[in-house]
Each structure stands twice: as structure tokens, then as C-alpha cells.
Amino acid sequence: MIRRRFALSPALLMSLALAGLLIVVVLDLPPQPGLAGPVAQAMDQAGVGHPVTAVLLNFRGYDTFLELAVLMLAVLSIWSLGRRDPIPARPVQGPVMHGTLRHLIPVAVVTGGYLVWVGSSDSGGAFQGGAVLGAAGVMLMLSLPREMPMPPALLQRLGLSLGVFAFLAVGTAGLLAGHGFMGYPPAWAYHLILGIELAAAVSIALTLVLLFLGGRSRKVRHDR
Amino acid sequence: MTVDVISPQIYLLCGVLLFVLGLHALVVRRHLLLKILAVNIMGSGVFMLLLGVAARGEGGIDPVPHALVITGIVVAVSATAVALVLMLKVKAATGLARLPLSGPED
């Protein structure tokens, strides 16, 4: 496509003007105390040691619950758009790929599990761990000589909704026990949060793999 | 230290630039894949802006914007996946994954 360089189109002019305005606004932002103080004060009843995890799964648990619901909704909307196409090409199998896979997949599983577990005290959490596990799943899907047999549909759906339902169950139990919706008893908070994170990580990993595949599984299996 | 004073501002400026860059591409480009990428770049600009704002607080780094960014990344990934599948459906239906030069109402 031939296009004139340095042509000052209206779109470019407006973008530059918007950039200038936004820069003026952003540089002029007044300093604010933010929410670091209130979060630090409430950390003793958060159950976890890392402030971001405390915000995600305790103080603003409702957001994270709906975020898991958004992930599930994305898979449902992709499934409603049709069946998936087969991956167009399969890689040539060889000793290098088998060896790499054999080493990388366990490392990815251990890394993902560690990231979920460490989220309570350091950087990490269900999303980071789930992303690593999901990446391992996508790598496995792409490198096998033929299409990987998927677990039965019921099991897929259970796995997809595991995170949402675990979160919802714990949140509702908190409501019934008098801690408010999505509230935890402080003494149990650590164990409940870790359990939710594990369930969420499994759901997120499965969601990412299914999002990558795109579409419902095909009815007719072509083995060749 | 001048570095400590300057660095959050740089994140804010780069966030603005990424956002405007993505917005410009979203308007100018006709290919749907480029439009989806443009929305993602706009989102990255917003995330960078949020993290820059989080670093400016007086009582240390504010964890709430960080949590918002994690939520935002996950939502962006889901929306991108849905958009990509929709793009493939457009390609399958019309043969082209780009918008026409003029709409039907012109």
C-alpha cells in the first residue's frame, strides 16, 4: 500500500492535539494520598501478607469474582459463535521437541503452582499462575502430532466454572456467617483465600486454553 | 534524587503516548486485526497510567490500582479473544478481515 509519508491528516492532527492535552492534564495531577494508608491499616485482618493479593481477594473480592465471571463469559460467547477449526498445521515431530516438552511442561506446572502459592506473601497469585499453566497447555496443544483428545464436555464446564463457584460459595457462606457478602472470618481468611486462588488458577488455565482453541469442540473427529 | 522525582512522570507520559498511538491506529487502520491490536495498545497505555499514578502516592505504592490493572489485563485478554474469533467469522463470511472504505449509508 502506497501512502504519503508525513501527511497531516485530520486524524493525526487530532491525535497530536489529544496527546498534548492529556500530557498537560496528567502532569498537572494533584498529589493524592491514595489508598495505601487504609490498605496498610487493614492488613492485619486480611489473612495474607501481600497488599495486592489482599485487595484482590479480600477487600475488593467482588471485583475479582466478577472478573472470573467475565473469563467464563468470554468462553461461553466464543462457544456460541460456532465450532472450532482444526489447527492448520502440525509440527514435524523430532527428538528436540519431545525433549523440550518433557522438560518444559513439568517446569511450567511447578512454576504455576508456586506462583499461586506465593501470591499470599509476595508477587504472584491465581492469575499469574493460571497464565503460566495456560501457556503450558497451549504449548502442549500445538506441539502434539495430532489433536489432543479433550476431556468430556461436562468436565470442561465444571473446570471452567470451578473458580467462580468456589468464590461464590465462600462469599455466600461469609454472608450467612455474618461477615457480609464476600467477607471472610479473619481467622480462616488465609486458607479460604488460598483455596479460592487454587480453584481460580485451574479455571483460568483451562479458560485460556479454550479461548486459544476458539469455538466448541468439533463433533466429527478427523484423525488424519 | 532527580531520578526518583522524574520516573513516575515518565510512566505517565508514556502511558498517554501509548493510548493516543492506539487511538490513532484504531481510527486510521482498516484491518480488523490492527484495530484489535490498537485497542490492546490503548489498554496498555491506561494500565501504565494507572501504575504511574499508583507510584505517586505519598504513603508508598498504592496497591489498589495494581489490583485494578490485574483485573484489567484479564478482561482485556478475554475481550481480545472474543474479538479475534469475531474477526475470523467476518473473514469467513465476507472473505476480508477489513472494513470497507465506505459504509452502506454513504
Side-chain angles (χ1 to χ4, degrees):
Chain A
M1 181 189 292
I2 302 166
R3 60 171 68 229
R4 278 188 304 153
R5 295 196 170 187
F6 308 118
L8 279 180
S9 65
L12 186 60
L13 279 178
M14 294 200 50
S15 299
L16 289 175
L18 180 65
L21 282 175
L22 281 177
I23 285 174
V24 171
V25 169
V26 157
L27 288 185
D28 209 27
L29 277 178
Q32 286 183 355
L35 289 169
V39 169
Q41 279 170 16
M43 278 307 287
D44 55 339
Q45 47 185 328
V48 288
H50 197 260
V52 176
T53 309
V55 171
L56 269 177
L57 282 144
N58 200 335
F59 306 148
R60 294 180 65 87
Y62 197 61
D63 279 5
T64 311
F65 164 64
L66 288 180
E67 174 187 1
L68 291 172
V70 165
L71 273 175
M72 194 172 76
L73 204 62
V75 175
L76 291 185
S77 46
I78 284 181
W79 277 359
S80 67
L81 284 171
R83 300 193 182 277
R84 72 177 65 123
D85 298 324
I87 294 168
R90 288 284 165 188
V92 180
Q93 303 293 312
V96 174
M97 196 161 78
H98 281 287
T100 313
L101 272 186
R102 193 176 295 168
H103 287 93
L104 270 185
I105 300 282
V107 169
V109 171
V110 171
T111 310
Y114 172 73
L115 278 174
V116 176
W117 174 76
V118 83
S120 58
S121 57
D122 209 333
S123 300
F127 296 103
Q128 293 85 334
V132 172
L133 292 177
V138 169
M139 192 166 65
L140 196 61
M141 290 276 172
L142 282 179
S143 51
L144 290 181
R146 62 187 61 195
E147 195 167 324
M148 197 161 106
M150 293 295 286
L154 183 68
L155 215 58
Q156 285 182 39
R157 284 163 203 214
L158 275 180
L160 267 184
S161 48
L162 183 67
V164 177
F165 282 126
F167 215 150
L168 187 63
V170 172
T172 312
L175 177 68
L176 295 179
H179 297 281
F181 188 53
M182 296 288 160
Y184 314 115
W188 294 1
Y190 173 74
H191 303 281
L192 289 177
I193 286 177
L194 199 62
I196 291 173
E197 288 216 87
L198 280 175
V202 170
S203 279
I204 289 165
L206 189 61
T207 304
L208 291 177
V209 173
L210 290 173
L211 285 179
F212 177 81
L213 291 176
R216 292 192 302 274
S217 53
R218 289 172 298 138
K219 259 186 184 146
V220 187
R221 288 198 180 277
H222 302 286
D223 280 339
R224 295 294 297 171
Chain B
M1 287 294 286
T2 51
V3 177
D4 289 340
V5 177
I6 285 175
S7 44
Q9 309 283 359
I10 283 182
Y11 288 117
L12 295 179
L13 287 184
C14 290
V16 167
L17 289 181
L18 277 179
F19 179 81
V20 176
L21 204 66
L23 185 66
H24 183 256
L26 178 67
V27 174
V28 171
R29 298 294 180 154
R30 283 168 54 219
H31 199 284
L32 292 176
L33 182 61
L34 294 179
K35 281 187 188 288
I36 296 170
L37 284 178
V39 174
N40 270 286
I41 290 175
M42 287 170 72
S44 302
V46 174
F47 297 151
M48 211 168 189
L49 209 61
L50 270 174
L51 295 180
V53 169
R56 288 167 80 246
E58 280 140 11
I61 291 181
D62 191 348
V64 177
H66 283 253
L68 287 180
V69 167
I70 292 190
T71 310
I73 288 172
V74 174
V75 173
V77 166
S78 336
T80 305
V82 176
L84 287 173
V85 172
L86 281 174
M87 184 194 81
L88 290 177
K89 297 292 169 196
V90 170
K91 175 96 162 47
T94 67
L96 281 177
R98 59 171 63 208
L99 295 186
L101 267 178
S102 57
E105 68 273 10
D106 291 347

